[in-house]
Amino acid sequence: MPRPGKFLLGNLLDIPPYHSWLKFKEWADEYGPIYRLNLGGSEHVVVSTEKVANDLLRERGTIYSSRAQAPAAAQLLSDNLRPLLLPYNDVWRRIRRLMHHMTMASAATRYEPTQILESSRLLYDLVRDPARYETYLERYASGLIFRLAFGKVLSDQDAIAKAGTLDRILAVVHNVERVASPGAYLVDVFPSLMMLPEPLAPFKKELKALHQNELGLFRELLEDVKGSMEKGTAPDCWERTFLEKQEEYGLTKDEGAYAVGTLYEAGSGTTAAAMMSFLLAMVLHPQWQTKLQEELDRVVGNKKLPDFEDLPNLPLVRAVAKEVLRWRPVTAGGVPHQLVKDDVYEGMFLKAGTLVHANQWLAIHRDPELYPHPETFLPSRWLDPSFPTYKEPLTLHPNLQNYSCFGFGRRICPGQNIAERSMFLLISRIAWSCTVRKTKDGLGKEIDVPPYDYTAGFNVQPKWFPFDLVVRDKAKMDLVDKAYTEAKRGDPLGGNW
């Protein structure tokens, strides 16, 4: 049923400017798992169970896979180049084919040595200065994709410098998250504002300037690789793949630059955010850290760091990763899908143009039928046969393949294979080597950490919180140091860290 609204504005004023999914869940409890909203005359539908989301967005993906061309994010900020916001058309399909070639499962296995290298770098620094965990996690995620996308090393100087490479790419990430958030710009609700001349529409000047900044960055990165190719010095990377096969994929240089650039944009933010939520979970639920360490000690032992070969025998590591993403999904509100053809679902008429929101945070991932005790951080729900989420064999399940936190249907995140491997590896290595716990004040009292104090935007992460990180024993610390030294010495890109 529809949510009642006001004349002309509909439900626009009922939606908070930040963390709108909280309100969506409140309405789901009142109106059911699928209900309508009217936002300034635009038809929206919110779905709040995985079944309904899969029925519409996956099973009927041919008509539920487009995007609304929001003036602020899709047109002004992205100039119709950002794959995330493109409509379901031939250009999007060509870009998606390029992305799939770079990130499919068979390709992702080739990137494991790079993930081992960057994780050794992360761990070495994290145990020495845990207060800078945000910088190190962002450097891991960005550094990994920087190597894969452009064949370049993200140095420590780039990671911390203002206007450095990481600072520039994170600015792009945060801008698109802000601009694309529901209600951020009035022009998205009233597209007729696009008809105003620029002097009367300051949002146009602002967003066009942001577009030029990000386009300049993506072009610069592409041209650097092209120059290296002309000199015969370009390493194997995604940008090189595009340039060598540009004609085959039928994309312009700017389309290719955005395809690779936005893969970097997505990968640099989401994995880091997920790992920040992992650290938060370990601070708040230390009993699961103890269980993780017991599994890792039994399987890995004390003579080497965990690696990809261990993962089939580490079901709890994989369960913790999956539970972190259920408990605190990175893409909390998601990007709505647009219906391109009239449809009927369980007697409910849905007209072409309707925007469908899959409300992940407090609804889909907290459906009590699929996830009993939904508010509880409970990795055993993936390992205990009494739960509906249990699957066998445990050497393969749980995993993150086609998991709803990565989206639905044809719009599912193309980087899920790489993100899955990164999360499994980082969780296993951090838990194996360290204990994360609440820090204490000057009187020896533990400092409480809020369970939900998250940034705004459609990709979210916990705001900085304090914790202590204690190396479990000297033998493990020696192995961490050794892995770092070997990684730096053996870095195929020169180890210029």
Side-chain angles (χ1 to χ4, degrees):
M1 66 180 293
R3 160 77 184 174
K6 297 178 176 62
F7 178 66
L8 291 180
L9 295 177
N11 307 110
L12 183 62
L13 299 181
D14 299 329
I15 298 176
Y18 303 113
H19 301 170
S20 57
W21 50 89
L22 301 175
K23 179 61 71 174
F24 288 169
K25 173 60 167 64
E26 181 183 316
W27 289 339
D29 292 340
E30 182 177 356
Y31 299 109
I34 179 169
Y35 59 89
R36 302 181 198 270
L37 295 174
N38 181 303
L39 302 182
S42 177
E43 186 88 359
H44 294 246
V45 163
V46 179
V47 300
S48 301
T49 67
E50 199 160 303
K51 179 185 184 304
V52 177
N54 282 329
D55 285 349
L56 298 180
L57 307 182
R58 184 173 296 168
E59 300 303 322
R60 306 185 190 185
T62 54
I63 60 174
Y64 280 90
S65 295
S66 201
R67 299 285 199 217
Q69 293 308 282
Q75 297 177 39
L76 294 172
L77 177 66
S78 308
D79 196 25
N80 299 310
L81 288 167
R82 181 168 268 106
L84 175 70
L85 303 176
L86 281 175
Y88 187 62
N89 58 18
D90 287 341
V91 174
W92 180 85
R93 280 185 280 269
R94 290 197 296 270
I95 291 174
R96 187 70 174 198
R97 190 161 66 93
L98 172 65
M99 289 180 163
H100 177 72
H101 175 77
M102 296 169 175
T103 62
M104 59 185 174
S106 60
T109 58
R110 300 200 307 268
Y111 309 145
E112 290 177 356
T114 306
Q115 290 170 297
I116 291 285
L117 184 155
E118 285 289 347
S119 69
S120 300
R121 186 183 178 192
L122 162 70
L123 199 56
Y124 179 87
D125 287 331
L126 184 64
V127 298
R128 285 166 169 79
D129 190 5
R132 295 183 59 202
Y133 71 91
E134 291 176 317
T135 295
Y136 298 137
L137 289 170
E138 288 170 349
R139 190 191 63 192
Y140 168 84
S142 294
L144 172 65
I145 305 299
F146 205 51
R147 288 173 179 269
L148 301 181
F150 310 111
K152 297 177 182 294
V153 176
L154 186 64
S155 69
D156 286 338
Q157 184 176 358
D158 280 334
I160 63 176
K162 290 296 181 183
T165 304
L166 181 57
D167 189 61
R168 293 172 69 192
I169 198 68
L170 289 178
V172 170
V173 172
H174 297 324
N175 282 332
V176 71
E177 289 176 355
R178 176 182 63 82
V179 174
S181 295
Y185 285 82
L186 197 60
V187 68
D188 289 337
V189 180
F190 300 108
S192 59
L193 294 176
M194 285 288 283
M195 299 174 63
L196 292 173
E198 197 161 294
L200 298 179
F203 64 87
K204 288 186 176 181
K205 182 178 180 180
E206 175 203 352
L207 295 173
K208 286 179 180 179
L210 291 176
H211 170 68
Q212 288 303 315
N213 287 339
E214 66 182 29
L215 178 61
L217 174 61
F218 293 156
R219 282 176 173 173
E220 176 186 318
L221 292 166
L222 182 144
E223 290 299 325
D224 282 351
V225 174
K226 183 181 177 183
S228 297
M229 289 173 64
E230 291 170 351
K231 297 174 185 176
T233 59
D236 185 28
C237 63
W238 295 343
E239 203 79 271
R240 177 176 172 176
T241 297
F242 162 66
L243 289 168
E244 289 176 340
K245 298 185 177 183
Q246 180 180 355
E247 187 174 337
E248 175 185 334
Y249 286 104
L251 299 172
T252 68
K253 278 190 178 181
D254 282 351
E255 288 167 345
Y258 256 84
V260 178
T262 55
L263 276 175
Y264 180 30
E265 168 185 295
S268 65
T270 52
T271 298
M275 287 304 302
M276 292 174 201
S277 287
F278 162 72
L279 293 173
L280 177 64
M282 295 302 96
V283 169
L284 296 174
H285 306 284
Q287 70 275 21
W288 286 106
Q289 182 172 223
T290 301
K291 294 176 186 294
L292 267 180
Q293 291 171 340
E294 290 171 353
E295 178 181 80
L296 286 158
D297 289 348
R298 183 177 66 253
V299 173
V300 179
N302 212 35
K303 295 184 178 179
K304 72 177 190 71
L305 272 69
D307 57 34
F308 290 103
E309 292 180 356
D310 298 312
L311 289 176
N313 299 316
L314 296 171
L316 183 57
V317 166
R318 291 178 273 116
V320 166
K322 195 161 190 174
E323 183 68 356
V324 165
L325 291 174
R326 183 202 69 84
W327 180 67
R328 294 289 188 267
V330 175
T331 309
V335 182
H337 293 224
Q338 185 176 50
L339 175 62
V340 297
K341 180 182 176 182
D342 289 351
D343 193 24
V344 176
Y345 180 72
E346 296 187 350
M348 182 178 184
F349 174 73
L350 303 170
K351 67 180 181 180
T354 295
L355 298 180
V356 181
H357 301 254
N359 188 23
Q360 293 179 342
W361 183 290
L362 285 178
I364 290 174
H365 285 187
R366 280 164 169 71
D367 177 358
E369 292 188 12
L370 186 58
Y371 304 111
H373 316 294
E375 295 301 326
T376 303
F377 181 80
L378 195 63
S380 57
R381 71 176 74 251
W382 308 102
L383 304 173
D384 185 337
S386 67
F387 284 90
T389 42
Y390 174 81
K391 288 184 180 180
E392 293 182 330
L394 291 182
T395 53
L396 176 63
H397 299 285
N399 60 56
L400 304 183
Q401 293 302 299
N402 296 315
Y403 190 24
S404 57
C405 66
F406 291 105
F408 295 87
R410 302 179 188 199
R411 289 287 184 165
I412 197 167
C413 173
Q416 62 176 317
N417 294 303
I418 299 171
E420 176 184 57
R421 286 165 169 80
S422 284
M423 281 200 71
F424 291 167
L425 183 66
L426 294 181
I427 286 173
S428 65
R429 289 190 155 200
I430 291 173
W432 174 86
S433 61
C434 310
T435 295
V436 180
R437 65 191 185 191
K438 288 183 179 179
T439 193
K440 296 180 179 180
D441 62 20
L443 299 177
K445 183 180 178 181
E446 287 187 340
I447 298 175
D448 287 333
V449 174
Y452 178 62
D453 185 18
Y454 273 62
T455 60
F458 62 78
N459 285 342
V460 298
Q461 65 189 48
K463 295 177 183 177
W464 186 91
F465 58 94
F467 61 85
D468 287 338
L469 189 149
V470 181
V471 175
R472 296 180 63 204
D473 59 55
K474 185 179 183 301
K476 287 181 167 61
M477 186 65 184
D478 290 343
L479 287 169
V480 168
D481 292 350
K482 180 181 177 182
Y484 173 85
T485 301
E486 291 178 349
K488 188 168 185 177
R489 184 186 300 127
D491 186 351
L493 296 180
N496 181 27
W497 299 356

